[in-house]
Amino acid sequence: MAQNFAHGNYSHTQQKARRGGGGGRTPADRARRELSQNFLADRHAVELMIKAAAPEGLVLEPGPGEGALTLALAEAGARVIGYELDPRLAGRLASRTRGDARVEVVRGDFTAARAPREPFAVVGNIPYSVTSRIVDWCLRAPALTSATLLTQREYARKRTGDYGRWSLVTVESWPWFDWRLGDTVGRESFRPVPSVDSAILRLERRPEPLVHGRRSYQELVELGFGGVGGSVRASLKTRYDGVDAALAAAGVPRDAVVGHVHPDQWVTLWGRLCR
């Protein structure tokens, strides 16, 4: 079944839309270029996604495209709602899955969707150009249990500390979500072939938060990432007392820069400075 939902930019890789004539391109060619669509064409990559996601219950899929992952999710036992902006692809997938109660196709932008109230997961081969928007949507959804996202490999590595540094997005959400880097999926697994490799990024909601003061924790982290004085110590001392003792308890060097502080150390800092 297909529904109209919303319209907006939606692509797997960074948008490369060009104004002007389309030459001899077909509508499908123009859609692939304007939306930079790169479809999973490797069964093994699909299997890696299913293994990482362990889908069950309600699953929302951003950008199902031709439906390779959609059908695999349904076969694994999930009830899938796919959000596809390209009306041509949405219509084709809706026709292909007509009569399959496990699959619903929504014509529209996933990031404009209202999050379900019941527990649900997000699984998708997502657009590189709107990765941050999709991740932010997932982090804000109260009933989200997990998100298994095929993203640009560099993005997945940055968000999971694989470069030895940690980002604000990860640290700020760490008490509520575990971030994990999964398998690499090479560029040759897609058609057309993109210019970079992908990786599976797994976000899983913790059974119990690591802190119980969201606002105070996020204020602490945001101050630390504010960059005052060039070190975490210098930033935190502008507002908090007992910073040196808190750093020692967390095992953070006095001259540590913010990116080198592990999220678990931030939890300890919050416990010492904010409780």
Side-chain angles (χ1 to χ4, degrees):
M1 177 173 68
Q3 300 178 11
N4 287 321
F5 186 80
H7 296 279
N9 292 330
Y10 209 74
S11 61
H12 175 80
T13 56
Q14 294 183 359
Q15 286 188 347
K16 300 177 182 177
R18 297 180 179 177
R19 300 182 183 273
R25 301 189 189 99
T26 66
D29 292 334
R30 287 194 292 274
R32 279 194 292 269
R33 178 173 291 275
E34 291 169 2
L35 299 177
S36 295
Q37 293 165 334
N38 298 82
F39 306 116
L40 272 177
D42 179 7
R43 180 65 189 178
H44 179 61
V46 172
E47 291 171 350
L48 289 176
M49 285 290 289
I50 297 299
K51 181 180 179 181
E56 60 181 6
L58 177 61
V59 172
L60 273 54
E61 182 188 5
E66 296 179 335
L69 183 56
T70 312
L71 297 177
L73 288 166
E75 290 170 2
R79 176 166 59 93
V80 187
I81 302 177
Y83 291 82
E84 177 54 62
L85 187 63
D86 186 331
R88 177 183 58 88
L89 288 174
R92 183 181 300 173
L93 183 57
S95 177
R96 184 180 180 186
T97 58
R98 184 176 293 117
D100 189 340
R102 304 170 301 177
V103 178
E104 177 182 349
V105 180
V106 177
R107 297 176 183 172
D109 183 351
F110 170 81
T111 62
R114 180 177 298 176
R117 293 184 178 180
E118 66 181 283
F120 72 98
V122 171
V123 182
N125 167 32
I126 68 173
Y128 289 165
S129 63
V130 291
T131 296
S132 293
R133 286 173 56 197
I134 289 176
V135 169
D136 288 345
W137 186 100
C138 291
L139 294 175
R140 291 195 308 268
L144 179 89
T145 58
S146 67
T148 307
L149 308 173
L150 192 52
T151 74
Q152 186 174 356
R153 186 168 182 264
E154 181 182 5
Y155 178 92
R157 294 187 66 192
K158 285 181 178 179
R159 291 294 178 261
T160 56
D162 196 52
Y163 288 116
R165 298 179 64 87
W166 295 92
S167 70
L168 173 61
V169 171
T170 305
V171 173
E172 202 166 31
S173 60
W174 187 262
W176 297 273
F177 289 92
D178 181 29
W179 295 67
R180 297 181 186 178
L181 176 64
D183 291 296
T184 295
V185 177
R187 65 196 75 184
E188 68 279 357
S189 294
F190 302 90
R191 295 294 181 272
V193 178
S195 59
V196 296
D197 294 331
S198 295
I200 297 173
L201 174 64
R202 172 80 173 175
L203 285 73
E204 188 169 344
R205 186 180 296 276
R206 301 184 189 279
E208 291 291 334
L210 301 180
V211 306
H212 296 284
R214 182 183 293 268
R215 183 173 180 179
S216 61
Y217 175 80
Q218 292 180 341
E219 286 177 349
L220 173 75
V221 171
E222 288 169 4
L223 179 63
F225 274 83
V228 177
S231 69
V232 173
R233 178 176 182 269
S235 296
L236 297 185
K237 285 179 75 69
T238 63
R239 184 180 304 177
Y240 299 97
D241 295 325
V243 170
D244 287 342
L247 291 172
V252 178
R254 290 163 62 94
D255 61 348
V257 296
V258 67
H260 292 158
V261 180
H262 191 281
D264 285 334
Q265 293 176 309
W266 280 104
V267 172
T268 300
L269 290 173
W270 174 85
R272 291 282 181 153
L273 297 174
C274 302
R275 294 177 69 177

